[in-house]
Structure formats: structure tokens, C-alpha cells
Amino acid sequence: AAGVIQSPRHLIKEKRETATLKCYPIPRHDTVYWYQQGPGQDPQFLISFYEKMQSDKGSIPDRFSAQQFSDYHSELNMSSLELGDSALYFCASSLESGNEQFFGPGTRLTVL
Amino acid sequence: GEDVEQSLFLSVREGDSSVINCTYTDSSSTYLYWYKQEPGAGLQLLTYIFSNMDMKQDQRLTVLLNKKDKHLSLRIADTQTGDSAIYFCAERGTGRRALTFGSGTRLQVQP
């Protein structure tokens, strides 16, 4: 079965640079979520979208923005990167009417 | 706000049962989930339970929910070395779709 696809899988950036992470949800899923997992930490919810509209907002810094496109894929844009942004970034998808969230493999961002 | 807590570590012998516990504070939680994370990998959804249920069984996995005490447990029968991973409990509150995760329990299965 098709799963959530994230790209790139690994990304290395310098401080103050920008990064864009991409997420392709499971086919027919209309809702995407972004989570950040720091080293040794639990995943923290950042933001979610349903039908291209922001549906919920968590602890997403103002330096980050995200959007969902007409094909339901989503991008997380991160600017003015800081050392503390180094983490695994997960995208998850679901049906808006469903109860299960399926996670992608994650993008490991390292900020040097 | 929501808070989800788990013990950090559990060690069992292969073939034994494992029981991973979780407590949560949000009384409006509607769904509770168990995810498995292997090193460097994503989060695999194992099972979930609706808050008006007290038990759910799925092959080797049994979830017990005590809503009064806000306590959730995951029992893995006949634990195998491949079950070694971090197990996260997560909850979803009323009107929300975002998940709040616990800190994860590292399960080590000894041969």
C-alpha cells in the first residue's frame, strides 16, 4: 500500500539559511500534519491543513510557514534556520473523516 | 494543556509479555493511539482505541483503557526481538485532530 512520502530524507543547512520540506500524502487523504521531533524527544505538532486551508496550529515558529496545494501535497518552509531547528520533521496524513494518522519516514534536518 | 506521560524504559525476555503504560490528563480525549518507532525510522501506527471502549485486541496487541483513571496500556504477547523499539502513546482531544505524544517507552527485548 502507498505510504506518505517525504523529501528530502536528509538535509544539511547552515545557520540563517532556508529550507523547504515536501510531503506527499497517501492517495485520497485530504489532511496533512507536520510534526517536529528533536533528539530524544517526542513528536511535537506544528501545523495541519485540510483541503488547502490551515486547520490547526501548534508550536510552529513564526520563521516557519506551510501550505497545502491542490494536489494535496504540502510544503514546510523554514527560514533563518537556527541550530535548535535540527530535528526530524514528520509529515502525517489522514482522511478528514478518519481516525488514523499515518506518518511518513521523516526528513532529518541538520543545521550547522 | 494536555499532558501524556510514559515510563522511559522496559526490558523483557523474548517470549514474555510486555506491558507499556501511559497516563494522560485531558479528560476530553476522544482517541488514544500507540505508535512504534524503530531507530532512525518513522512512526508506525500500531493500534488505537476510542474513548468509550475499555479494551481492544489486535493479534498480539491488547489495549486497555481506564478512562476514570486516564490510564492506557499496551500489552504485547509473546514479545519478539523485532519488537524492540520506542513505543509512543498519543491522544487526540475533542475538536482537534493533532496528536499529543508521550515521551516514549524504550522496549528492549533480550533473547
Side-chain angles (χ1 to χ4, degrees):
Chain A
V4 178
I5 297 171
Q6 291 187 245
S7 68
R9 294 293 310 279
H10 301 271
L11 190 58
I12 299 175
K13 290 287 184 178
E14 301 271 345
K15 277 196 312 184
R16 292 180 288 278
E17 285 191 319
T18 62
T20 297
L21 310 186
K22 296 186 179 183
C23 168
Y24 298 86
I26 292 170
R28 291 183 294 282
H29 281 193
D30 49 21
T31 305
V32 294
Y33 313 79
W34 286 97
Y35 292 82
Q36 177 193 57
Q37 185 180 30
Q41 304 293 313
D42 56 286
Q44 295 288 319
F45 170 69
L46 295 178
I47 197 166
S48 64
F49 291 86
Y50 165 63
E51 288 290 346
K52 294 160 285 188
M53 299 288 290
Q54 180 183 307
S55 55
D56 202 353
K57 191 173 181 179
S59 52
I60 185 169
D62 292 341
R63 299 177 289 109
F64 295 4
S65 65
Q67 57 183 324
Q68 184 182 30
F69 295 85
S70 56
D71 64 350
Y72 297 108
H73 94 272
S74 178
E75 295 183 4
L76 177 66
N77 299 294
M78 311 160 73
S79 63
S80 303
L81 287 168
E82 302 174 355
L83 296 178
D85 296 329
S86 295
L88 259 175
Y89 289 83
F90 288 110
C91 173
S93 76
S94 74
L95 287 168
E96 202 278 338
S97 58
N99 301 316
E100 299 160 299
Q101 281 186 33
F102 296 95
F103 281 71
T107 294
R108 183 173 295 280
L109 173 66
T110 303
V111 181
L112 302 176
Chain B
E2 309 93 355
D3 192 24
V4 181
E5 295 190 359
Q6 301 178 237
S7 52
L8 292 181
F9 186 75
L10 175 66
S11 179
V12 300
R13 290 200 177 277
E14 192 172 18
D16 287 350
S17 291
S18 308
V19 179
I20 302 171
N21 295 301
C22 170
T23 58
Y24 60 97
T25 59
D26 187 0
S27 57
S28 71
S29 294
T30 54
Y31 291 90
L32 295 124
Y33 301 80
W34 285 103
Y35 282 86
K36 175 184 179 183
Q37 186 176 36
E38 297 183 69
L43 294 155
Q44 176 192 354
L45 176 62
L46 292 176
T47 187
Y48 69 98
I49 189 168
F50 185 45
S51 58
N52 70 351
M53 299 170 63
D54 51 22
M55 188 182 93
K56 182 178 180 181
Q57 188 157 1
D58 185 359
Q59 300 182 354
R60 292 192 298 124
L61 305 179
T62 302
V63 178
L64 295 178
L65 175 61
N66 181 327
K67 194 173 182 182
K68 174 176 169 289
D69 293 339
K70 299 190 186 69
H71 181 267
L72 181 74
S73 67
L74 174 69
R75 178 177 180 269
I76 306 172
D78 187 24
T79 313
Q80 303 298 306
T81 54
D83 295 324
S84 293
I86 298 176
Y87 290 80
F88 287 96
C89 163
E91 65 90 24
R92 191 181 117 194
T94 303
R96 299 200 70 210
R97 301 197 60 82
L99 301 181
T100 299
F101 284 84
S103 53
T105 298
R106 181 177 296 276
L107 174 64
Q108 182 181 69
V109 182
Q110 299 182 8

